Amino acid sequence: MRWDQIDLELAIWRIPLTKNKESQTVPLTSSAVELLKRRYDARKGPWVLPGRGGESHLVEPKRPWYKLLDDAGIEDLRLHDLRRTLASYMAMDNQSLQIIGKALGHKSVASTQIYSRLMNDPVRKAMESAQEQIRLLGKF
């Protein structure tokens, strides 16, 4: 992530080339923008997360990640789990698979399909509501 790829006013990150060999525009949440603004004021180069010496970017933050887990008393959590957690909560919030896939940068809905199993609660609620309406109409 480079500073010239981020538009803090529009709250977007333009990734020029993803692992899918395509560009992607990622919307940034308000908390991400707030954090990036604080980092921007202290920047020392083109990278949002500079590596040692600032010449290149951070590749894999193993040491800080493990320290964070240790400080929080968390075992067996990978960075990629955070991505899955975001998608899971989006599914539980009844967001469409298309929206979840867009947030994750998936090319096809098939890649996002695993999260559909978490969407049963909204379906159940809709069924309960319809059942209640039927019950009221028939006064059962």
Side-chain angles (χ1 to χ4, degrees), residues 35-51:
L35 184 137
L36 287 167
K37 283 180 178 178
R38 287 195 312 266
R39 289 194 63 81
Y40 186 80
D41 292 338
R43 76 188 183 284
K44 294 183 178 145
W47 304 105
V48 175
L49 299 169

Side-chain angles (χ1 to χ4, degrees), residues 42-100:
R43 76 188 183 284
K44 294 183 178 145
W47 304 105
V48 175
L49 299 169
R52 292 188 190 269
E55 296 297 319
S56 64
H57 60 83
L58 183 63
V59 177
E60 211 173 336
K62 286 182 180 179
R63 198 171 310 156
W65 178 251
Y66 290 126
K67 181 179 179 349
L68 179 115
L69 293 180
D70 187 52
D71 290 350
I74 299 172
E75 295 180 19
D76 195 29
L77 182 71
R78 298 174 300 149
L79 275 170
H80 194 75
D81 294 333
L82 301 178
R83 174 182 164 90
R84 289 189 183 119
T85 300
L86 174 71
S88 296
Y89 273 86
M90 290 175 74
M92 289 184 288
D93 192 38
N94 202 28
Q95 300 300 319
S96 71
L97 292 178
Q98 289 81 7
I99 294 293
I100 297 168

